[in-house]
Amino acid sequence: MANDETDRLLGEIGQLLAEDTAYPLDGTLLYARVRSSLVAPSIFKNRANSIVYRDPDLSRWFQLLLDLWEAEKPEHRWAEIEYLITGDTFEVAYTYADEIDPDEDTFERRDRIVRRYFGDKPIVYPPGPPDDDDAPYYDL
């Protein structure tokens, strides 16, 4: 898959990951699922006693990951990317659709992959939106 466009896009991914200065860049994992109508990135930071989820800005990630995916010939397009930064280097692994168990829950799969890189530590997700008892409810 190595070509100039792919190399450029992989470099842009690293630059975008480096913009998050709240945590060190070393020990950063981007895991993303991509297809023609879906881009689902997740960013994790390896800490001493936990793994921290960093909420990606989809407006910044969508086109970059889609361009990387589209840089491949259709018959060679991957379904998932794992982009790991360790020290001053990065490594990339691709998973193809036929290598994914369609019965596996996507969130369980993502957490399993993250733990493969960072070990069996708790994954810390940001709190969700507060419950709004005044929000309308519709029974469908």
Side-chain angles (χ1 to χ4, degrees), residues 59-104:
S59 69
R60 300 191 71 203
W61 282 101
F62 182 86
Q63 196 60 55
L64 177 57
L65 288 169
L66 190 60
D67 287 349
L68 180 65
W69 182 80
E70 289 177 341
E72 286 296 315
K73 294 178 182 175
E75 64 272 14
H76 297 292
R77 287 188 177 145
W78 40 269
E80 296 176 343
I81 183 173
E82 300 161 27
Y83 185 110
L84 177 68
I85 297 176
T86 306
D88 293 335
T89 64
F90 71 90
E91 61 185 75
V92 178
Y94 300 99
T95 304
Y96 297 87
D98 63 349
E99 300 172 320
I100 298 171
D101 179 354
D103 296 326
E104 184 176 22

